[in-house]
Amino acid sequence: MIFDAATHEQAAEIVGRYPQQRSALLPLLHLVQAVEGCVTADGISFCATTLGLTGAEVEAVATFYTMYKRTPCGEHLVSVCTNALCAALGGDDIFARLSAKLGIGHEGTAGTPGQPGSITLESAECLAACDHAPVVTVNYEFYDQQTLDSAEEIVDELQAGRRPEPTRGALLTDFRTTSREIAGIYGDLAGTVDTPTASPETLRGNVIAEDLRQTAPAMPESYEMPPLPEKK
């Protein structure tokens, strides 16, 4: 795939944020994923050429992180946490229900990738929301304390072309838009994030600490970040 001028401009904007251009690799991979729907060989080459890296260096990163998909993703990525706590509270059963409903397994896609209503399903190792278990995310937006029926209802809504409101966090978009936002390329950022993000469960530790008058040590006013090592 030949990346257009707009993609090159966005890539240059991303690279310009970093004192060492190779540090832009992670967001740049999200950018090509936003364009292609996954990270292809062309995307690997684009990142390598842009950053002056070898294809092997880029490939090593792209295959290490699970957020980079190597096959075309659906319009929506549905992730079901099946780590210990979520699994014990129903995560495994939710994944099994959705897998049977969609007729696909882990990282399978129901429908034509990228087309409206298509869904890629994955069993996620951890979604970092144990206080809301069992958790499902759609394009990394949270749907907390799910049941078999509520998780199935989310999928029904997505397949019908609707976007159910997440429990907290930004409004739901699609997988490619989310990848672009993770890369640091935004549309209406203020409007997107003007939604609830915290919850009583998440803030419970703060409340207990306040009740017990516990505080963390303050950062020294004279603290300075250590200098970056010189590039050899």
Side-chain angles (χ1 to χ4, degrees):
M1 176 178 183
I2 299 176
F3 293 94
D4 62 15
T7 305
H8 280 271
E9 291 176 4
Q10 291 169 346
E13 176 187 340
I14 291 170
V15 174
R17 299 171 184 161
Y18 298 88
Q20 297 188 46
Q21 66 178 22
R22 68 180 297 140
S23 299
L25 177 55
L26 296 182
L28 207 59
L29 283 167
H30 282 293
L31 177 64
V32 300
Q33 182 163 261
V35 174
E36 300 183 293
C38 64
V39 178
T40 67
D42 288 338
I44 295 290
S45 297
F46 177 80
C47 292
T49 300
T50 301
L51 300 176
L53 301 173
T54 66
E57 288 175 307
V58 178
E59 184 85 23
V61 173
T63 54
F64 181 82
Y65 293 104
T66 59
M67 290 179 76
Y68 301 121
K69 307 306 179 187
R70 303 311 306 275
T71 56
C73 208
E75 179 188 22
H76 300 292
L77 171 66
V78 175
S79 309
V80 181
C81 185
T82 54
N83 209 337
L85 184 57
C86 279
L89 294 177
D92 285 344
D93 293 335
I94 290 173
F95 180 80
R97 169 78 73 89
L98 298 185
S99 179
K101 177 183 179 64
L102 297 170
I104 54 177
H106 174 60
E107 295 188 335
T109 298
T112 302
Q115 294 302 305
S118 57
I119 293 175
T120 296
L121 177 68
E122 69 176 1
S123 171
E125 178 62 20
C126 182
L127 296 177
C130 298
D131 46 348
H132 295 287
V135 170
V136 172
T137 63
V138 180
N139 309 325
Y140 307 117
E141 301 298 345
F142 284 96
Y143 295 81
D144 301 326
Q145 298 170 334
Q146 290 299 298
T147 65
L148 292 172
D149 291 339
S150 65
E152 188 169 350
E153 184 177 342
I154 291 171
V155 167
D156 287 336
E157 291 285 288
L158 296 175
Q159 289 186 306
R162 294 185 287 271
R163 296 181 177 180
E165 186 174 344
T167 307
R168 54 198 163 88
L171 297 177
L172 187 64
T173 58
D174 57 76
F175 178 71
R176 291 195 184 202
T177 299
T178 298
S179 293
R180 190 177 301 277
E181 291 175 345
I182 294 174
I185 305 296
Y186 306 103
D188 177 19
L189 178 60
T192 298
V193 300
D194 187 21
T195 55
T197 56
S199 68
E201 293 89 345
T202 301
L203 299 177
R204 183 59 182 157
N206 300 65
V207 173
I208 294 173
E210 185 175 345
D211 290 342
L212 297 176
R213 298 183 179 181
Q214 295 175 335
T215 59
M219 181 72 73
E221 293 183 4
S222 61
Y223 178 81
E224 294 182 2
M225 289 290 292
L228 294 170
E230 294 184 5
K231 187 175 181 181
K232 296 181 180 180

